[in-house]
Every structure is written in structure tokens, then in C-alpha cells.
């Protein structure tokens, strides 16, 4: 296994996230490269995990392929032969860890669906008895299954600032009531599908995060990654 914490391609790099490098292909497409960088509390650390980016990319491709009947996603291809000709000489940086995707206007909301109480949801429940304004049954223990999955969104904070859990009403003001209802419905449907598939394989999907964007036509599509750990 080789460690790759940064990429260098003959395209304009327009963003460098905690894990992914984002390159512009043209007005309609982007090339995402998932590196092996790791972060803690939104800070990128100096070390990495070999092949982490490959695992994330292939897991996302797996779920994108199996949930497109629920909501359209941004994935065009993970085959380097489908990428712009000038990038194919950089196959060693791209193979298994990159995606050619449709370009969207990303929504400023992390769309979290929870079927079990854990993580920041557990912390919020202990403090107030609710998560993102949703009252929860008293007496829950960390890791307990919820009566039904809930939508617990977060505001996508600027780099270096931790994302903030927000109530659904705040989502409506950030992206419009119509889009807020659409992302809630899609998130819960995606989670239900993924959680059921994981359970059949002996895995509990406690919660997961989705991101969405809109095309110029206004169509809502799933972007970034899907049901990765």
C-alpha cells in the first residue's frame, strides 16, 4: 500500500478539502481525488492512512450505484479512461481513488440521518433531551436504537470551524422550505435503504451524512460521498 496525501494534476485545483482535492474539468464537470489525509475535529493531521482515499471512493461508488433509484447523484465515472486526456498520464494518482462528477451548486447543509443515538446526537440529547429540536424518549443510553430514524441537519461551517447542529426551521431559512423538505425526505430514504442493506450484512449503520447540490435546472442531486465511515 502507498500513502498519498496530496495530488498534482494538469488541471486547475479549485478546492482542497480535509480529504479530497477538487479539480475543474469544465463548466459542467469536476474531478475529485480522495487522498489518504486524515483529520480530527476538522483539522488535517500531518500523517495519513494508506489507501484510505481508495476505500472512500469505492464505497461511495458502490452506494451511488445502488441508490440512484432514490435520488440522482453526481457520479459520471470512476474509470480513468473516461477522464480528460491530459490526466491519463497521472493514472497512479487517480486509479481507484478518483471520480469524474457533475458540477453543482452545493447546499450549505450537512444532511445527517440517525437511526441510533450516538456521537454529537448523544451529547445533545444528554444536555437537552432533544436533537436538532426533535424531542427524544427519556432514558436513552448511548447506542440505543431510536423509535424511528430522524433527520438531524448541521450547518456547514467555514474551514477550521466545527459544523453546528441546527433545527429543521433553520434549514428552511438557509435553502428554502421546498429544498429543505426534499433533502429531509431524500436523506431518510437513503438512510433506510443503506441501514437495511448493512443490517443484512451484520453491520449497524448508526447514522450517516449526506450532501446535496442543485444543477442549473434546479434538480436536486446527491454529491460528495455516500455512507462512508
Amino acid at each position: 500500500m502507498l500513502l498519498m496525501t496530496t495530488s498534482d494534476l494538469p488541471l486547475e485545483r479549485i478546492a482542497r478539502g480535509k480529504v479530497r482535492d477538487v479539480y475543474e474539468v469544465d463548466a459542467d464537470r469536476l474531478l475529485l481525488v480522495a487522498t489518504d489525509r486524515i483529520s480530527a475535529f476538522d483539522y488535517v493531521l500531518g500523517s495519513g492512512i494508506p489507501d484510505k482515499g481508495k476505500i472512500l471512493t469505492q464505497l461511495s461508488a458502490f452506494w451511488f450505484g445502488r441508490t440512484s433509484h432514490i435520488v440522482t447523484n453526481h457520479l459520471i465515472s470512476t474509470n480513468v479512461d473516461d477522464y480528460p486526456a491530459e490526466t491519463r498520464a497521472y493514472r497512479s494518482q487517480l486509479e481507484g481513488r478518483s471520480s469524474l462528477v457533475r458540477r453543482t451548486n452545493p447546499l450549505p447543509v450537512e444532511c445527517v440521518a440517525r437511526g441510533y443515538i450516538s456521537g454529537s446526537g448523544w451529547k445533545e440529547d444528554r444536555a437537552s433531551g432533544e436533537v436538532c429540536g426533535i424531542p427524544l424518549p427519556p432514558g436513552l443510553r448511548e447506542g440505543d436504537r431510536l423509535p424511528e430514524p430522524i433527520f438531524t441537519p448541521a450547518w456547514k461551517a467555514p474551514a477550521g470551524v466545527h459544523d453546528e447542529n441546527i433545527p429543521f426551521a433553520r434549514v428552511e431559512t438557509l435553502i428554502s422550505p421546498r429544498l429543505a423538505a426534499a433533502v429531509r425526505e431524500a436523506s431518510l430514504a437513503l438512510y433506510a435503504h443503506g441501514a437495511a442493506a448493512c443490517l443484512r450484512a451484520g453491520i449497524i449503520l448508526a447514522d450517516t451524512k449526506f450532501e446535496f447540490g442543485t444543477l442549473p435546472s434546479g434538480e436536486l442531486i446527491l454529491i460528495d460521498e455516500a455512507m462512508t465511515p
Side-chain angles (χ1 to χ4, degrees):
M1 294 187 293
L2 298 176
L3 180 68
M4 195 185 92
T5 56
T6 190
S7 63
D8 183 20
L9 303 178
L11 298 172
E12 181 183 359
R13 186 169 66 190
I14 60 174
R16 189 172 192 262
K18 293 188 288 287
V19 174
R20 288 172 179 79
D21 293 338
V22 182
Y23 294 89
E24 182 179 68
V25 174
D26 53 37
D28 300 316
R29 298 176 299 165
L30 300 173
L31 185 60
L32 309 184
V33 182
T35 71
D36 298 328
R37 294 193 293 268
I38 57 175
S39 65
F41 301 103
D42 297 315
Y43 289 93
V44 177
L45 306 182
S47 57
I49 299 176
D51 286 346
K52 173 190 174 182
K54 291 185 177 181
I55 294 169
L56 294 179
T57 298
Q58 291 169 41
L59 274 172
S60 291
F62 174 90
W63 288 113
F64 283 145
R66 285 157 178 77
T67 59
S68 59
H69 65 289
I70 298 173
V71 60
T72 304
N73 60 70
H74 71 166
L75 184 62
I76 298 172
S77 178
T78 58
N79 185 343
V80 179
D81 292 331
D82 295 331
Y83 298 176
E86 63 268 33
T87 66
R88 294 173 199 160
Y90 297 78
R91 187 176 295 269
S92 62
Q93 295 185 44
L94 298 171
E95 201 81 70
R97 63 168 72 247
S98 59
S99 308
L100 184 67
V101 302
R102 289 191 286 176
R103 192 170 191 165
T104 70
N105 179 34
L107 301 180
V109 177
E110 301 270 2
C111 296
V112 181
R114 302 179 187 272
Y116 297 75
I117 189 68
S118 63
S120 65
W122 166 241
K123 181 179 179 181
E124 195 172 337
D125 178 50
R126 283 192 299 168
S128 65
E130 57 184 37
V131 181
C132 295
I134 302 171
L136 297 182
L140 286 175
R141 300 165 300 174
E142 185 174 14
D144 275 352
R145 187 171 184 173
L146 298 171
E148 61 182 12
I150 57 175
F151 178 65
T152 59
W155 172 61
K156 288 172 62 175
V161 180
H162 199 60
D163 293 342
E164 172 193 347
N165 286 357
I166 57 176
F168 183 72
R170 176 84 184 281
V171 181
E172 292 181 307
T173 64
L174 286 171
I175 62 173
S176 84
R178 179 187 66 82
L179 278 177
V183 297
R184 178 172 62 183
E185 180 182 0
S187 298
L188 291 172
L190 289 164
Y191 174 77
H193 180 87
C198 286
L199 201 58
R200 289 194 294 271
I203 299 168
I204 292 175
L205 184 62
D207 54 60
T208 193
K209 179 265 298 181
F210 302 106
E211 294 192 38
F212 296 90
T214 55
L215 297 174
S217 64
E219 181 184 2
L220 182 74
I221 67 172
L222 179 64
I223 64 171
D224 192 51
E225 55 187 347
M227 289 180 270
T228 55

